[in-house]
Amino acid sequence: MTFKTALAGATLLATLSLASTSAFALTVGFSQIGSESGWRAAETTLTKQQAEQRGVDLKFADAQQKQENQIKALRSFIAQGVDAILIAPVVATGWDAVLKEAKEAEIPVVLLDRMVDSDKDLYLTAVGSDLVHEGKVAGDWLVAEVKDKSCNVVELQGTTGSSPAIDRKNGFEQALAGHDNLKIIRSQTGDFTRTKGKEVMESFLKAEDGGKNICALYAHNDDMAVGAIQAIKEAGLQPGKDILVVSIDAVPDIFLALAAGEANATVELTPNMAGPAFDALDAFFKDGTQPAKFIQTESKLYTQADDPKKIYEEKKGLGY
Ligand code: AHR
């Protein structure tokens, strides 16, 4: 359904007094990055649930972490003539050509959770958090926690070239600026996965006197933090005490770690990006309403003081 046929449909439905909360049965293509983290799994689950509840026919494509697969999926959605496309773009660059093709085919594209560096006219809207702010919240927490103590920080970055890896690093560095007692001594990608988080943390520990020289770990997501916590324990140190752990996502497993005193803080990223995305698409197809270019979700800090056991119980059945 193109925008023009959507408007014709809207008129017809209004005439027949059939308008409902979701007036159109849309066919939507969803290009998901993969399943690198618990957070990503929850986003996939929630997107499928939201589609089902709204009567959306969702065509799902798992890109297995590869941009080329996402580009292929988008081209296939365009060829199939879907009404709209959702994409969580694995990296920030290299989308211009395929986004132009979608625009020429009059298929609105909504970005989920990660940003691209393309012209804003090439997509309808983006749903996500302020990724720089998330990094800053994590950094502000650490600055306040260590006070004047000298603190060597190691950083596990997300996927190289992805907007959360770039922005969360940037926001964290902003928070540390002017606090000369805190220093990032090592920073490397762990690709947002538990396995690589553990591997890279093992190499940090080895290089830094078995970890004695490390005061804190900042991980761009909880899964890498959970992997790193395991590495810290295997090195004979106590995560959460000998090495402070701050990360992003607020997945159930990090609440278990918070409850056990093995993690110290996490910044929540909601996995429900699809709800606001479908709302925007509904309004757009109903009467042409142009959504804001960026629909921002909340970023909330949780620490050990927030009854992590209770939050774990609340979150554990939510598709993570
Ligand atoms: O783009 C959001 C990030 O991607 C999440 O923080 C991370 O867990 C995921 O893989």
Side-chain angles (χ1 to χ4, degrees), residues 36-37 39-40 113-114 164 168 192 220-221 249 269:
E36 73 282 3
S37 65
W39 185 91
R40 182 71 50 204
D113 74 85
R114 295 189 186 182
R168 288 173 182 170
F192 282 129
H220 290 190
N221 81 346
D249 275 355
L269 174 69

Side-chain angles (χ1 to χ4, degrees), residues 38-313:
W39 185 91
R40 182 71 50 204
E43 187 191 49
T44 298
T45 306
L46 286 171
T47 306
K48 288 179 177 172
Q49 278 172 5
Q50 285 282 338
E52 206 180 317
Q53 282 164 18
R54 294 162 188 258
V56 168
D57 176 13
L58 191 76
K59 301 201 175 300
F60 180 77
D62 178 336
Q64 316 220 318
Q65 245 61 41
K66 291 197 175 74
Q67 182 179 34
E68 69 208 64
N69 290 344
Q70 292 203 286
I71 292 174
K72 268 189 215 147
L74 258 60
R75 292 204 164 118
S76 154
F77 293 149
I78 295 167
Q80 289 171 59
V82 297
D83 299 311
I85 291 172
L86 306 179
I87 177 170
V90 60
V91 291
T93 56
W95 299 102
D96 289 3
V98 75
L99 290 179
K100 275 181 195 149
E101 289 165 36
K103 187 154 179 114
E104 274 155 25
E106 293 187 62
I107 298 173
V109 174
V110 178
L111 309 179
L112 298 188
D113 74 85
R114 295 189 186 182
M115 295 301 293
V116 297
D117 73 350
S118 302
D119 193 298
K120 288 187 174 55
D121 285 351
L122 294 179
Y123 55 88
L124 180 70
T125 182
V127 183
S129 61
D130 179 338
L131 297 161
V132 175
H133 177 67
E134 287 175 344
K136 190 160 182 318
V137 170
D140 286 342
W141 175 83
L142 187 61
V143 166
E145 184 67 17
V146 302
K147 304 192 177 73
D148 292 336
K149 200 180 115 188
S150 137
C151 181
N152 285 337
V153 183
V154 295
E155 179 182 28
L156 286 169
Q157 296 180 36
T159 301
T160 306
S162 69
S163 65
I166 297 163
D167 291 349
R168 288 173 182 170
K169 178 167 188 44
N170 186 351
F172 188 77
E173 286 172 357
Q174 282 180 26
L176 265 55
H179 300 276
D180 297 341
N181 55 318
L182 284 121
K183 214 182 283 162
I184 301 173
I185 54 165
R186 290 188 185 267
S187 181
Q188 207 177 303
T189 182
D191 214 7
F192 282 129
T193 70
R194 224 171 256 220
T195 317
K196 287 208 182 130
K198 180 167 187 276
E199 264 171 39
V200 178
M201 189 68 203
E202 281 166 354
S203 72
F204 287 165
L205 290 160
K206 241 186 227 151
E208 296 299 337
D209 198 11
K212 288 192 201 82
N213 198 29
I214 303 171
C215 143
L217 160 72
Y218 166 48
H220 290 190
N221 81 346
D222 289 342
D223 276 72
M224 292 190 293
V226 170
I229 285 170
Q230 190 54 35
I232 296 168
K233 290 205 275 192
E234 286 171 14
L237 296 172
Q238 278 189 283
K241 291 190 180 70
D242 297 325
I243 298 181
L244 300 172
V245 178
V246 55
S247 52
I248 295 172
D249 275 355
V251 302
D253 281 356
I254 206 73
F255 286 96
L256 284 181
L258 284 161
E262 295 177 346
N264 303 87
T266 186
V267 184
E268 186 169 44
L269 174 69
T270 176
N272 183 17
M273 302 280 160
F278 285 134
D279 286 347
L281 284 170
D282 253 3
F284 177 72
F285 281 114
K286 202 166 158 196
D287 56 15
T289 301
Q290 285 290 334
K293 269 293 157 188
F294 184 56
I295 301 171
Q296 194 178 325
T297 61
E298 220 193 315
S299 310
K300 186 170 182 260
L301 178 79
Y302 289 94
T303 67
Q304 292 175 355
D306 288 303
D307 199 350
K309 255 207 177 119
K310 183 168 164 257
I311 301 171
Y312 170 76
E313 291 301 328

